[in-house]
């Protein structure tokens, strides 16, 4: 579990009554059917089962052996699904301390040695040097104005391998200027959100 920051401290159980949690289910792969907890914090919404199922149907020929980035990890549902289905590694980036602590616990519970947690801001992470990624998952909090900024910043980095895939999940009717060299492969809507897959 290299490069994973530790969040546990001697007071971690002190405010249990304030920690509201939910569950999500791993849909496919080696951990299919496993249920994992997540903290219900503001802006955190694990991708719905049907959306993750569609996404990984899109990625079924690409995910095995892929180096992935789950930039707004939250519950970690997408990145954990990627590891379950054979991704070689996933970097999880999550700023919220409670969400990061629970994600840390889930990664350890699964013994997912190729899952690396980074407790930091997404923009800060993108400003640092990392090996290029084959697949990047972008699922920013809704109504925060982050999607456009992050897409623009990511496009200016060297973090996308040649032919990389970028998954973008945003609120319905939000317009985002997409770089000219990102080709739209898939595009669907569900309820109050839209989700897309691009090839760089």
């Amino acid at each position: 579990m290299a490069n994973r920051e530790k969040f546990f401290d001697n007071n971690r159980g002190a405010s249990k009554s304030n920690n509201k949690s939910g569950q999500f289910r791993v849909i496919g792969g080696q951990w299919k059917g496993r249920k994992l907890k997540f903290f219900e914090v503001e802006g955190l919404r694990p991708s719905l089962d049907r959306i993750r199922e569609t996404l990984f149907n899109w990625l079924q020929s690409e995910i095995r052996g892929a180096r992935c980035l789950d930039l707004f990890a939250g519950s970690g549902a997408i990145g954990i699904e990627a590891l379950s289905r054979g991704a070689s590694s996933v970097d999880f980036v999550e700023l919220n301390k409670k969400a990061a602590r629970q994600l840390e616990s889930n990664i350890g519970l699964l013994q997912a040695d190729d899952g690396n947690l980074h407790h930091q801001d997404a923009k800060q992470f993108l400003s640092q040097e990392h090996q290029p990624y084959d697949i990047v998952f972008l699922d920013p909090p809704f109504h925060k104005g982050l999607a456009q900024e992050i897409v623009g910043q990511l496009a200016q980095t060297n973090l996308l391998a040649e032919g990389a895939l970028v998954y973008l999940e945003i609120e319905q009717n939000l317009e985002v200027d997409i770089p000219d060299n990102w080709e739209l492969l898939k595009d669907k809507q569900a309820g109050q959100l839209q989700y897309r897959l691009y090839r760089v």
Side-chain angles (χ1 to χ4, degrees):
M1 301 182 188
N3 301 325
R4 190 173 309 139
E5 298 179 31
K6 298 296 180 184
F7 298 93
F8 300 106
D9 56 48
N10 294 331
N11 298 316
R12 71 177 190 247
S15 58
K16 253 186 180 175
S17 60
N18 298 325
N19 295 335
K20 198 174 174 188
S21 64
Q23 280 191 335
F24 69 90
R25 179 177 62 91
V26 181
I27 297 169
Q30 63 174 318
W31 302 315
K32 182 178 180 178
R34 288 289 295 270
K35 292 182 179 179
L36 299 168
K37 292 181 180 180
F38 68 92
F39 275 115
E40 294 182 354
V41 298
E42 183 182 0
L44 193 158
R45 41 176 184 76
S47 293
L48 299 173
D49 284 7
R50 68 179 184 273
I51 293 176
R52 275 186 287 131
E53 188 165 11
T54 298
L55 168 60
F56 285 93
N57 283 341
W58 291 348
L59 296 176
Q60 61 184 335
S61 64
E62 308 272 358
I63 193 66
R64 187 161 296 278
R67 176 174 162 78
C68 302
L69 171 62
D70 190 354
L71 191 57
F72 296 89
S75 68
I78 290 179
I80 287 172
E81 192 76 42
L83 286 173
S84 183
R85 293 171 183 252
S88 66
S89 67
V90 176
D91 281 339
F92 297 87
V93 180
E94 175 53 45
L95 181 61
N96 183 279
K97 188 174 182 179
K98 287 182 179 179
R101 183 184 289 122
Q102 183 61 58
L103 178 50
E104 166 82 11
S105 177
N106 286 340
I107 293 171
L109 184 66
L110 295 170
Q111 298 182 345
D113 291 343
D114 295 320
N116 302 304
L117 178 60
H118 304 265
H119 178 221
Q120 65 184 122
D121 178 75
K123 290 179 283 187
Q124 180 187 16
F125 183 88
L126 291 182
S127 70
Q128 299 166 343
E129 291 293 324
H130 304 279
Q131 291 294 316
Y133 295 97
D134 303 304
I135 303 175
V136 176
F137 302 106
L138 300 180
D139 184 12
F142 285 2
H143 310 299
K144 302 285 187 182
L146 285 171
Q148 184 65 73
E149 187 175 359
I150 288 296
V151 165
Q153 186 178 357
L154 178 62
Q156 297 300 314
T157 71
N158 295 317
L159 299 183
L160 297 171
E162 185 177 352
L165 295 168
V166 178
Y167 171 73
L168 179 63
E169 186 174 315
I170 53 177
E171 56 265 45
Q172 188 73 277
N173 300 320
L174 179 66
E175 296 294 332
V176 177
D177 290 330
I178 300 299
D180 291 340
N181 64 326
W182 290 21
E183 177 191 3
L184 181 62
L185 300 180
K186 303 285 186 180
D187 183 10
K188 289 197 74 171
Q189 299 180 1
Q192 297 302 308
L193 60 85
Q194 53 185 319
Y195 52 112
R196 307 169 182 169
L197 186 66
Y198 295 92
R199 172 86 69 184
V200 179

